[in-house]
Structure formats: structure tokens, C-alpha cells
Amino acid sequence: MSNKINQELEDTLRNALSGLTEAQKDLAVKEYKKYWSELEIPFSLKEGLSRYKKNELDNIRRHLQLKGISNLRKEELISFYQEKIPELLETTCLRFDEERFGLLVKIARKGGSIPAPDLEIEQIIYLRATGLVYSGIYQGEKILSLPEELVAPILKLNNNLQVRSIVKRNTDWIKLTRGLLYYYGTLSVTQLEKMLETYTKEQLDLKDYFEVIYEANVYQEEMYSDREGFSHWRVINPKKVKLEHKQRNNLQFFPYTKEQLLRAGKPDYLERNQSYMHLVQYLTRNYEMDKEEADEIVEECVYATLIGDELGEVIDYLSKVIELESMESVQQLTDYVVNLMNNTKQWFLKGFSPIEIREKSESELHPLVKAKKNSPIPTENKKVGRNEPCPCGSGKKYKKCCGR
């Protein structure tokens, strides 16, 4: 029976990989089987660890930050982990957020095993590297399980108010960081530290913070760091984002509430405002696509706006994914795109949309996204000389900034 089930799973996977070569499919199936092989439950920590190859045991060593044991043989590592993993259980959980800690508790409450939730393969690899969670197939179903000797200690930790408080703090750190980067694109460590302390009303322990953020990003990559600081994963040029911020010294970062940032800090968050939904509806009404397809297209338009693409570049992208049959259709589409771009919170504008900057100004209209000179779409914005200072406050000439 189990062989039949495994064959069905393999066939399903191969069909999903139809665009790959046979060699690539073979490799993918091999990796898949490594994470989803037959698993008998209940099982002990020793039995769970014995399923791992040496490189996976080394992953546990790195995750637990254990030194001086890299030369141990597989059997020696397993024996060492049998003592060390339960000993470090609380320390490991103190770097988790509510999602990962909640998953452990859920498995423990169900007696040590649950049907596997819909997780990315990178998340499965991360969980296995903790030495706590084991993936496999049981009675034809993909499951996540805990060694039986860890079930009671995890439930005990869940009753520990201090542990739960730190897990809640970690969750806020992660979501606030992701939310700030979603709206501002790139921030230096100093900027992040200052903003987080403002929102949490507590002094930030940078060592703990970096450990928590690093692990959260291994589990689910939503950001990255380099010499410029931390950036949203869709930022292509962090240096340019920071330069645009610097050139707008007279403009403060948009004052988002803590609740707004926590909401934006959820994985795969995208702000679907009215102008966003209007473009989605326009695409589904006028082109042969469903709402999901239209949403994916409009999402790319938003991120093109965020990285600094101009109107013409966004229209050029759209012309490659949908068929524009007439100038009238180009004109209608452009109108919707201009509206979207003008109402999109932008990294270069420190989290403001062009519309909000215009409304913020008391003395003059700031330029919104405008159609190109030969575009059939009229604009109502006040004319700005190409050699005049750009009204957005960047300090550049208009022709070198928003007038490009």
C-alpha cells in the first residue's frame, strides 16, 4: 500500500515539474523523497535523528550554534544530540515567533503528530534543522511530528508566561521590521533601531534582535541585509533607495501606526487599495483572465513603481502580457495605471504616495505620475519647468527627478 502511495506522490510531483528536464525531475523527486519518506509514529529522538544523513545532522549543529563537534561521526552526533536538543529546547524556542512556537504546541497538543500544513520546502528544511520537527509520510498522508520525549516539555513551555511573552516580543519585532521595509524599502540599522524603539516603547537588545530576525528570515525570506542596512526582498538597489531618502531630508517618513505596520508585516502582504482593485477589475472585464491572473499582473505594476520604473516602462510591461488592440485601449489602460502609480505608497517617497505628497503641500502641487509627451492621456497637474527644482523636495532639477 505504501509503495503505491509513494508512486502516486511521485507521479503528482513529476507532473507539476513538467517544464524541467528528466534529470532535473529526478533530482527534485530525490529531494522530495528525502523529506517525505515513510515515518512510523510514535518515535524517539534517537530514531528520528537516525533517519538523517550526516549533512542534515550538520545542519542541526549549525542551527543550534554548537561548536567543537564537526568531526564527530554520525553515531556520535546522534548520541550528543539526544542530550543537547532537550537541554536547548527552551533556548531554541526563545528565538521563535508565534507562528513557529504555535506550530510546535499544536503538534504537541495533538499527541506529537499533525497533517503537514502547506509550507514551502525551505520552511520544512528549517524545521528539520531545529532537531525538533520531523517530516514524513504516515498512512498515506504527509505529516509533521515530534519525538515522543519532547511532547511534554513543549506543552510545559507553553504554560511558561515568560516564554510566551518573549515569543510575542519576537513576533512584534519581525512584523514591525517587515512592515517598515514594506513601506520604506531600505533602512539602516540605526534607523530600524530607532523606529522599533519608538513603536515598542522599549530599548532594543540588538544581539537578541539580530538572532530573532536572522532565524525568521531563514524560515521565510521576506528581507535581506547588506552594507546599506535591511531591505524588503523586492528592493533591487538599496543604495538608490537610501539616496532618494537622503535627498528628501525635508520630508519625514510617513507616520504609520503600529497596527498598520503589523498588518503589513504579514508574509506576502500587498496593499490592495481602491486604485489597485480598479485596475484588477478593468483587466478581468476587458481581457481573458481571471481575478488571480489580473492580481499577479497588477502586483508587478506596483513593484515596478516601487523600484522607480516610469509610466512608459510599466505600460511596456503590460503590452507584453496582454494584447492592446487599439489606441483607445492603450488610453484606457494608461489612465488606470496612472491612477495606480499616483496612489501607491512609494519607497523613494518615504512611504508616501504622490497623491499624499500633493495633498501635504501647502504652496504648490507636487507632480504626479504623468503620461509621456505623445500619450493621448491629458493631465491636470500644474506645469513645472524642466530646470526648476523638483517640487517633491529631492533637491534635483525636475527633469532629473519626477520629470524624467
Side-chain angles (χ1 to χ4, degrees):
M1 183 67 170
S2 62
N3 289 335
K4 180 182 177 182
I5 291 167
N6 284 335
Q7 186 59 51
E8 289 174 351
L9 289 170
E10 180 176 334
D11 291 342
T12 300
L13 179 61
R14 284 185 176 276
N15 289 334
L17 301 173
S18 57
L20 302 182
T21 65
E22 286 304 313
Q24 289 172 323
K25 288 181 183 179
D26 289 341
L27 181 61
V29 168
K30 183 178 179 181
E31 285 295 300
Y32 180 88
K33 286 182 176 179
K34 181 169 71 175
Y35 305 128
W36 302 108
S37 58
E38 291 289 332
L39 178 63
E40 293 298 322
I41 55 174
F43 60 92
S44 67
L45 181 56
K46 180 178 181 180
E47 289 169 334
L49 291 167
S50 298
R51 293 165 52 85
Y52 285 2
K53 293 182 179 179
K54 179 63 162 58
N55 67 309
E56 289 190 285
L57 294 174
D58 287 337
N59 288 341
I60 295 176
R61 170 178 57 80
R62 285 187 285 269
H63 181 89
L64 298 179
Q65 301 175 25
L66 299 171
K67 300 185 183 299
I69 60 171
S70 57
N71 293 325
L72 293 182
R73 294 176 299 174
K74 179 177 178 178
E75 295 76 13
E76 295 171 326
L77 269 178
I78 291 173
S79 179
F80 179 80
Y81 288 155
Q82 279 182 263
E83 295 184 9
K84 210 64 180 175
I85 288 175
E87 180 184 320
L88 294 175
L89 175 62
E90 181 172 339
T91 301
T92 300
C93 290
L94 291 179
R95 296 197 297 269
F96 283 177
D97 60 357
E98 290 173 331
E99 179 181 343
R100 283 167 287 156
F101 186 65
L103 179 61
L104 286 186
V105 173
K106 181 179 181 180
I107 299 172
R109 282 177 172 168
K110 293 294 184 179
S113 179
I114 62 168
D118 186 18
L119 298 174
E120 300 292 334
I121 193 63
E122 291 79 11
Q123 294 173 298
I124 297 297
I125 294 171
Y126 169 90
L127 292 171
R128 288 166 63 95
T130 64
L132 305 176
V133 180
Y134 297 77
S135 60
I137 301 288
Y138 179 70
Q139 295 182 348
E141 185 176 32
K142 293 198 292 186
I143 63 169
L144 295 182
S145 295
L146 297 169
E148 54 186 345
E149 60 263 50
L150 295 182
V151 171
I154 288 172
L155 292 176
K156 185 177 179 181
L157 280 180
N158 188 49
N159 293 326
N160 186 318
L161 295 181
Q162 183 180 7
V163 170
R164 289 170 61 178
S165 174
I166 292 176
V167 168
K168 173 65 169 63
R169 178 207 66 182
N170 296 347
T171 304
D172 284 353
W173 279 354
I174 294 164
K175 286 186 176 180
L176 286 172
T177 301
R178 288 173 175 170
L180 289 166
L181 297 178
Y182 173 81
Y183 285 119
Y184 303 146
T186 298
L187 293 169
S188 67
V189 173
T190 302
Q191 287 173 318
L192 260 180
E193 181 182 9
K194 183 178 179 181
M195 290 179 181
L196 287 168
E197 289 181 346
T198 298
Y199 284 107
T200 62
K201 296 180 172 57
E202 293 180 355
Q203 185 174 356
L204 192 66
D205 185 316
L206 281 177
K207 180 178 180 298
D208 287 350
Y209 170 74
F210 286 139
E211 287 185 351
V212 168
I213 291 300
Y214 171 78
E215 277 213 23
N217 214 42
V218 173
Y219 178 68
Q220 193 162 29
E221 190 172 5
E222 295 282 331
M223 66 186 86
Y224 66 92
S225 62
D226 59 14
R227 65 175 61 187
E228 303 300 332
F230 285 81
S231 298
H232 184 274
W233 72 277
R234 293 291 295 255
V235 170
I236 295 175
N237 189 340
K239 192 171 184 179
K240 183 177 181 181
V241 176
K242 288 186 69 178
L243 180 61
E244 294 288 345
H245 288 175
K246 186 176 181 180
Q247 290 174 335
R248 291 175 172 83
N249 280 331
N250 61 325
L251 180 67
Q252 299 297 314
F253 285 96
F254 187 95
Y256 292 100
T257 65
K258 183 176 180 179
E259 289 68 30
Q260 286 175 308
L261 293 177
L262 291 173
R263 184 167 59 249
K266 295 177 181 178
D268 300 320
Y269 176 82
L270 187 68
E271 188 173 286
R272 292 172 171 84
N273 57 24
Q274 192 175 55
S275 62
Y276 184 104
M277 297 312 301
H278 283 169
L279 181 51
V280 169
Q281 292 162 7
Y282 173 78
L283 292 176
T284 55
R285 283 197 312 265
N286 294 276
Y287 300 92
E288 294 182 2
M289 65 178 71
D290 57 27
K291 185 177 179 181
E292 184 177 350
E293 291 174 301
D295 188 82
E296 290 178 359
I297 291 172
V298 180
E299 179 179 347
E300 288 308 309
C301 292
V302 168
Y303 281 112
T305 302
L306 292 175
I307 64 174
D309 282 358
E310 298 179 4
L311 175 62
E313 294 172 297
V314 178
I315 296 298
D316 183 58
Y317 157 71
L318 288 170
S319 70
K320 294 174 181 176
V321 295
I322 58 178
E323 188 174 348
L324 301 174
E325 297 179 345
S326 65
M327 283 303 296
E328 182 182 0
S329 63
V330 173
Q331 179 173 344
Q332 290 176 347
L333 180 62
T334 302
D335 200 21
Y336 279 98
V337 173
V338 167
N339 189 42
L340 172 72
M341 297 177 77
N342 283 333
N343 286 280
T344 296
K345 308 278 194 178
Q346 298 188 18
W347 294 333
F348 291 178
L349 300 181
K350 294 184 171 180
F352 283 88
S353 68
I355 285 284
E356 288 167 333
I357 286 193
R358 184 188 71 177
E359 293 171 349
K360 181 180 173 67
S361 174
E362 296 179 356
S363 58
E364 60 184 336
L365 291 178
H366 286 254
L368 306 183
V369 174
K370 299 198 296 183
K372 291 292 185 183
K373 192 173 183 180
N374 55 0
S375 169
I377 304 302
T379 64
E380 299 178 356
N381 299 321
K382 183 178 178 180
K383 290 284 186 179
V384 180
R386 288 179 56 75
N387 289 309
E388 293 179 16
C390 187
C392 76
S394 67
K396 302 177 184 177
K397 291 183 179 180
Y398 178 64
K399 65 182 180 181
K400 295 291 187 180
C401 189
C402 296
R404 289 178 294 180

